[in-house]
Amino acid sequence: MNANEITILGIESSCDDTSAAIIRDGVILSNVVANQKVHEEYGGVVPELASRAHQQNIIPVVDLAIKNAGINRNEISAVAFTRGPGLLGSLLVGTSFAKGFSLAAGIPLIDVNHLQGHVLALFIKEKEVPFNPPNFPFLCLLVSGGNSQIILVRDYLKMEVIGQTIDDAAGEAFDKCAKVMGLPYPGGPHVDRLAKDGDPLKFEFTRPRIQGFDYSFSGLKTNFLYFLRDRLKENENFIEENLNDLCASIQYTIIEILLNKLKRAVKETGIKEITIAGGVSANSGLRNALKVNAEKYRWNLIIPKFEYTMDNAAMIAITGYYKYLNKEFIGQNVVPFARTKL
Ligand code: KG4
């Protein structure tokens, strides 16, 4: 190891994935993610079960990340962890572990905002893979199970939320609509798959009328629920007989809502450098719609690698790296925040 190299251990435990990653000078050396299957039978994440699973997973996951990176523990320059937003019990596990690791190794501790991590995932370099980061300033559509935001990113650590959901996130809309159709949790990927063989214009659902660049998805969810309830009264097999069209139509509506505000943000800010982040950015319909718009309106669209769009510690480590360069460290008295802004 070169004495000037900066090696960051990143820890992510904000929801139901326990993850650890090693990044050296911005280049990924390892990224280990342990998913929690325990929530599947409940149709959503159970906070108490999530924090228990994090406790079981955290040591083996960190150990594996260090092994996979092929480094020695004493080569780590700092430990970066997700401070929030997220589930408090889950965050406490990662935070406590990171504090202990930093104290034992005598290295700095860096707190990371999970949302900032999602955005900076675009700057993760991979060995021998061409690096194609966005240029500042850029707009990032951050869509996940807990967030739907449009972020104006001026620099690595300078970003501003210019629009966000006032109720449910886009991922919640996918998951809740999937749940009422009887699909397993998380429903987003199932809707995506089934939508491929459906007609997106078969059924029409309500669009919210919200000011500015903000989003709302709770009305759509209710509309979908009542629509199904009424149709099921007429035909008890309505869902099975129309599953593909239902998935295609609800997906089409969610994408339209997301893109209308993004297009407005591009128009008003004049920024045509566009990126996406968060679990919902895996949606194939959303990716296609973004590509079509990018071609039509001449946007420079940058879509991150799939594994860095979901919750992962590589994005926390890369944010930790930029904070390390700025010497933005935090003391041992740090506590996690369930709710926090960018
Ligand atoms: O960022 P993420 O991994 O973590 C949380 O914020 O919890 O996002 C998870 C969300 C879930 O709502 C999931 O249904 C959604 O991302 N998701 C998708 C797809 N893949 C994951 N939604 C639609 N289409 C997909 N292909």
Side-chain angles (χ1 to χ4, degrees):
M1 182 194 131
N2 177 326
N4 297 323
E5 279 173 341
I6 297 162
T7 306
I8 308 288
L9 164 65
I11 311 269
E12 156 65 28
S13 72
S14 64
C15 190
D16 59 340
D17 294 310
T18 319
S19 180
I22 302 283
I23 283 211
R24 176 167 285 169
D25 290 341
V27 179
I28 182 114
L29 300 185
S30 68
N31 184 34
V32 177
V33 184
N35 309 113
Q36 302 179 358
K37 296 267 171 263
V38 65
H39 308 286
E40 274 171 15
E41 63 179 289
Y42 299 97
V45 176
V46 184
E48 177 57 25
L49 295 180
S51 35
R52 282 190 214 180
H54 282 305
Q55 285 195 326
Q56 286 168 348
N57 293 344
I58 191 117
I59 291 176
V61 163
V62 171
D63 208 40
L64 191 59
I66 294 172
K67 268 197 198 115
N68 288 356
I71 64 160
N72 239 314
R73 210 176 300 179
N74 58 14
E75 293 175 34
I76 297 171
S77 321
V79 51
F81 68 98
T82 305
R83 184 176 181 185
L87 300 171
L88 195 60
S90 293
L91 290 165
L92 270 168
V93 178
T95 306
S96 313
F97 182 89
K99 283 162 93 168
F101 195 100
S102 132
L103 198 62
I107 55 173
L109 185 62
I110 302 170
D111 63 321
V112 171
N113 182 308
H114 180 83
L115 306 175
Q116 200 169 27
H118 270 303
V119 176
L120 293 188
L122 292 151
F123 295 93
I124 297 169
K125 290 183 202 152
E126 290 184 328
K127 271 185 205 158
E128 288 154 31
V129 174
F131 183 48
N132 180 29
N135 300 301
F136 296 113
F138 63 87
L139 294 177
C140 180
L141 177 65
L142 171 56
V143 274
S144 70
N147 297 282
S148 295
Q149 302 183 325
I150 299 177
I151 303 172
L152 198 172
V153 186
R154 297 182 201 282
D155 207 341
Y156 297 107
L157 302 174
K158 252 191 238 158
M159 42 186 94
E160 182 193 336
V161 176
I162 59 170
Q164 61 189 322
T165 182
I166 58 164
D167 40 57
D168 289 351
E172 266 175 292
F174 269 107
D175 295 343
K176 287 177 179 170
C177 291
K179 193 173 175 181
V180 294
M181 289 187 284
L183 297 174
Y185 177 85
H190 296 283
V191 173
D192 189 358
R193 176 177 48 82
L194 291 160
K196 289 193 174 109
D197 298 317
D199 175 2
L201 302 177
K202 179 80 180 278
F203 305 112
E204 207 178 315
F205 303 109
T206 51
R207 268 94 167 138
R209 291 208 189 105
I210 305 288
Q211 296 290 314
F213 306 134
D214 283 344
Y215 289 115
S216 165
F217 288 100
S218 72
L220 173 64
K221 181 189 66 188
T222 313
N223 176 231
F224 188 70
L225 185 70
Y226 288 167
F227 168 83
L228 283 186
R229 188 195 56 186
D230 295 345
R231 294 299 173 101
L232 284 168
K233 273 187 204 153
E234 298 156 10
N235 170 10
E236 61 177 25
N237 298 321
F238 181 77
I239 295 178
E240 295 91 275
E241 287 169 13
N242 294 279
L243 191 57
N244 295 96
D245 292 340
L246 283 167
C247 287
S249 301
I250 196 71
Q251 176 169 298
Y252 177 80
T253 312
I254 295 172
I255 294 171
E256 263 221 336
I257 295 171
L258 289 172
L259 283 187
N260 279 344
K261 289 294 171 91
L262 182 65
K263 281 193 265 188
R264 194 188 286 184
V266 171
K267 214 168 169 190
E268 290 190 25
T269 61
I271 298 171
K272 291 188 164 191
E273 194 83 7
I274 308 297
T275 67
I276 49 169
V280 179
S281 66
N283 184 268
S284 57
L286 178 60
R287 286 181 173 228
N288 286 339
L290 279 164
K291 283 180 196 153
V292 169
N293 279 280
E295 209 153 290
K296 187 167 169 195
Y297 299 110
R298 297 177 187 281
W299 298 347
N300 180 29
L301 174 68
I302 296 183
I303 299 184
K305 206 172 158 191
F306 179 71
E307 65 177 295
Y308 304 135
T309 61
M310 314 295 281
D311 283 353
N312 68 86
M315 68 186 202
I316 304 304
I318 191 75
T319 309
Y321 171 68
Y322 286 108
K323 290 189 92 171
Y324 187 98
L325 295 178
N326 260 6
K327 299 204 169 18
E328 289 185 35
F329 305 133
I330 194 99
Q332 279 287 332
N333 54 355
V334 60
V335 289
F337 288 134
R339 288 177 170 271
T340 165
K341 291 189 174 158
L342 259 180

